[in-house]
Amino acid sequence: MSGWQTLFYKEVLRFWKVAFQTVAAPIVTALLYLMIFGHVLEDRVQVYDSVNYTAFLLPGLVMMSVLQNAFANSSSSLIQSKIMGNIVFLLLTPLSHRAWFVAYVGSSIVRGLVVGAGVMAVAWWFAKPSLVAPLWILVFAFMGAALLGALGLIAGLWAEKFDQMAAFQNFLIMPMTFLSGVFYSIHSLPAFWQQVSHLNPFFYMIDGFRYGFFGQSDVSPWVSLGLVGAALAVVSAIALHLLKIGYKIRH
């Protein structure tokens, strides 16, 4: 295997060795959300015609799981390597910054998609949403996982201890995912909060992903695709630049 393939394999093996924690636990968490919110709001909320609330909720929970676990994979791996000191073994290799990026983000995509597929498989017993446009589902799942994997790289490079990483996740990633339309349509919000929601890139990832199931969304899927693609390009460029200069890992 080439250098990036070896690092990619190492990163996939890292989370797969503790799959009970990194894969099974997020699936159980998403299932609990589905059972609680679906049971409480099933007869009280109707978002799309002919789509019950539990079916509407399922794609949002799947995408939320993909995003959160893709971010957690790259960020936790990098911060652990920095704190434990074993990152020096990677720095001694002739791997380029692009190889680091492909390996870390690639493994984050794998973890995000595995968890998302697991949530979908388990939750299918509770709701069976239609698959109107499967290609849109795959595109947004892949791009969302890549975006959060790259963002996790930035967070892992910036953070110097675990509480900084926890602050990044608790005060940025978690609020942006929960306030992105996972549990509701933004059309149910007051006008001001609808405008605020349109500033959240996570909203476009989840809304575009949900379009693949129902053929309905709060904004055009093409708009969502363009904005998510632009965000992915910007975040990837920043992550590549920080890796290239060795931000907080070479000095």
Side-chain angles (χ1 to χ4, degrees):
M1 290 190 293
S2 63
W4 75 265
Q5 290 173 321
T6 303
L7 182 57
F8 170 78
Y9 176 74
K10 173 255 184 187
E11 287 299 310
V12 171
L13 195 63
R14 185 190 71 86
F15 81 78
W16 192 252
K17 281 287 188 178
V18 286
F20 191 78
Q21 173 188 348
T22 57
V23 178
I27 292 175
V28 172
T29 300
L31 184 59
L32 289 173
Y33 279 126
L34 183 68
M35 293 173 63
I36 294 170
F37 282 91
H39 174 72
V40 172
L41 300 176
E42 176 68 34
D43 298 325
R44 295 177 173 85
V45 178
Q46 180 79 32
V47 182
Y48 300 143
D49 294 337
S50 72
V51 177
N52 62 54
Y53 180 73
T54 302
F56 169 85
L57 182 61
L58 177 55
L61 290 176
V62 171
M63 193 59 168
M64 184 180 74
S65 301
V66 170
L67 300 179
Q68 290 182 348
N69 283 276
F71 175 85
N73 193 72
S74 55
S75 60
S76 63
S77 178
L78 203 50
I79 190 65
Q80 286 174 5
S81 294
K82 288 169 64 177
I83 291 176
M84 296 177 67
N86 57 32
I87 197 170
V88 67
F89 298 113
L90 281 178
L91 294 172
L92 291 173
T93 66
L95 290 175
S96 68
H97 63 284
R98 294 184 184 87
W100 282 49
F101 179 84
V102 171
Y104 276 100
V105 174
S107 60
S108 297
I109 293 172
V110 172
R111 176 173 167 182
L113 295 183
V114 166
V115 173
V119 173
M120 176 64 74
V122 174
W124 201 265
W125 294 95
F126 298 88
K128 296 178 174 60
S130 56
L131 301 177
V132 174
L135 183 59
W136 283 105
I137 295 174
L138 295 175
V139 167
F140 277 102
F142 182 87
M143 292 179 64
L147 175 55
L148 268 292
L151 188 60
L153 262 181
I154 295 173
L157 290 169
W158 166 78
E160 297 178 349
K161 44 189 177 180
F162 286 112
D163 58 346
Q164 290 179 329
M165 180 59 63
F168 195 101
Q169 186 156 11
N170 292 332
F171 293 103
L172 181 64
I173 303 301
M174 289 290 287
M176 291 181 73
T177 51
F178 275 95
L179 299 176
S180 59
V182 172
F183 301 99
Y184 55 86
S185 168
I186 65 166
H187 290 311
S188 64
L189 300 176
F192 172 77
W193 290 109
Q194 288 189 36
Q195 297 301 319
V196 172
S197 296
H198 281 102
L199 300 176
N200 182 359
F202 286 37
F203 159 70
Y204 297 99
M205 289 183 269
I206 291 176
D207 196 55
F209 184 76
R210 185 175 276 134
Y211 174 85
F213 287 86
F214 307 118
Q216 302 179 67
S217 57
D218 292 331
V219 299
S220 167
W222 292 104
V223 172
S224 296
L225 183 65
L227 292 173
V228 173
L232 175 59
V234 171
V235 172
S236 297
I238 294 172
L240 281 166
H241 175 69
L242 295 180
L243 286 172
K244 184 177 181 180
I245 65 175
Y247 179 71
K248 289 192 176 183
I249 55 175
R250 294 188 185 274
H251 306 289

